[in-house]
Amino acid sequence: QVQLVESGGGLVQAGGSLRLSCAASGNIVGIDVMAWHRQAPGKQRELVASITRAGSTNYADSVKGRFTISRDNIRRTVYLRMNSLKPEDTAVYYCKMSRGLFEVWGQGTLVTVSS
């Protein structure tokens, strides 16, 4: 059984930084895409950033220039470095990993940005 364990969320002041981590455990190899999504209260879940096995990245317009996604294929871990955080970045952040039609989600980690 594959599980994703996230860490790194918390409370930070506007303008601050956080780094989220998400590590996979269990029988999964050759992960194609690793991604971070977020869901703010009362809003739909949205894609924040994604990275392919080859290293190609994609970002939501709202985080471009502030967030950086990276991955360690050996450790099966994806990271999200978040700089210049804004109150509107407050949300539960979820990681997702996929290989073909298979996908698995993490349990979510709360990021709260105070003004």
Side-chain angles (χ1 to χ4, degrees):
Q1 185 176 358
V2 179
Q3 288 186 323
L4 303 183
V5 178
E6 297 145 339
S7 60
L11 174 64
V12 64
Q13 288 188 331
S17 298
L18 284 175
R19 190 179 83 151
L20 305 182
S21 299
C22 172
S25 63
N27 187 20
I28 182 169
V29 296
I31 301 167
D32 293 325
V33 180
M34 298 182 179
W36 288 96
H37 297 247
R38 68 185 180 187
Q39 187 166 18
K43 295 188 177 181
Q44 289 188 328
R45 192 174 297 189
E46 63 175 355
L47 175 67
V48 176
S50 64
I51 183 168
T52 68
R53 197 180 343 180
S56 296
T57 58
N58 180 52
Y59 294 94
D61 288 342
S62 59
V63 306
K64 283 181 181 176
R66 300 189 297 122
F67 291 11
T68 302
I69 189 170
S70 59
R71 63 189 280 173
D72 184 329
N73 292 325
I74 295 175
R75 291 184 171 84
R76 301 184 299 174
T77 300
V78 61
Y79 306 96
L80 186 67
R81 177 68 180 180
M82 305 184 292
N83 295 328
S84 303
L85 282 161
K86 304 175 181 180
E88 51 263 45
D89 294 318
T90 295
V92 178
Y93 284 71
Y94 300 88
C95 67
K96 185 180 80 170
M97 297 188 185
S98 58
R99 180 186 177 189
L101 296 178
F102 174 81
E103 64 179 37
V104 58
W105 289 84
Q107 81 285 356
T109 185
L110 178 63
V111 172
T112 304
V113 184
S114 63
S115 57

